[in-house]
Amino acid sequence: MYATTDDLDEYLGSTSPADAAFLLRRATDDVDRMLLGSVYPVDAAGNPTQADHVEAIKRATCAQATYLDPLNQEGKLGRFTSFTVGSVSASRAARSSATSPEGDQYSSAALGILRVAGLLPGVINAGPTAGDWLARP
């Protein structure tokens, strides 16, 4: 997992929900999917090696966990055209053609954190120069 319940507490500025460990596991899986195709330095276990990448991935995981929390309604009310609490009833809003390919499964905050850190696919990170790639031992 990319973040702990202590990390989530710090991110929220308050105590994590009771199911924080579950939310963080799901958020880690989501962040893994967000990072598919990304290129950044990793160790032998596949974990990021640059401190700023480690921090961004941790923060994105916390943002995604917060987004997945059913009790956190920030940014989610727009998904429904109607909602009833007694005997529970909800109607989903229709997706527009302007909706991102990710739809509403990923937190815009998590995507933004990863984008700013240069970790989303299509973002070129600083790395070896062309000369380094062409050098032969």
Side-chain angles (χ1 to χ4, degrees):
M1 287 197 323
Y2 296 126
T4 66
T5 54
D6 288 340
D7 295 330
L8 186 56
D9 287 348
E10 184 178 326
Y11 180 83
L12 293 171
S14 63
T15 304
S16 305
D19 59 348
F22 169 76
L23 293 171
L24 287 167
R25 278 192 302 278
R26 282 201 49 213
T28 294
D29 291 343
D30 286 348
V31 169
D32 280 342
R33 281 188 288 281
M34 289 180 218
L35 293 173
L36 280 175
S38 296
V39 177
Y40 53 92
V42 296
D43 61 18
N47 296 314
T49 56
Q50 290 183 210
D52 57 334
H53 292 166
V54 171
E55 181 64 21
I57 291 170
K58 176 177 72 175
R59 288 180 46 240
T61 302
C62 290
Q64 183 67 15
T66 301
Y67 183 77
L68 293 172
D69 182 0
L71 299 178
N72 173 27
Q73 293 302 310
E74 183 177 338
K76 295 183 184 177
L77 295 177
R79 295 183 187 182
F80 299 99
T81 54
S82 67
F83 196 92
T84 307
V85 176
S87 293
V88 185
S89 168
S91 299
R92 276 207 175 284
R95 289 180 78 174
S96 74
S97 59
T99 302
S100 71
E102 296 87 13
D104 58 3
Q105 68 182 348
Y106 299 138
S107 158
S108 61
L111 289 167
I113 290 165
L114 296 173
R115 186 172 294 115
V116 168
L119 289 168
L120 288 184
V123 177
I124 298 173
N125 293 309
T129 63
D132 294 334
W133 290 106
L134 299 173
R136 303 274 182 210

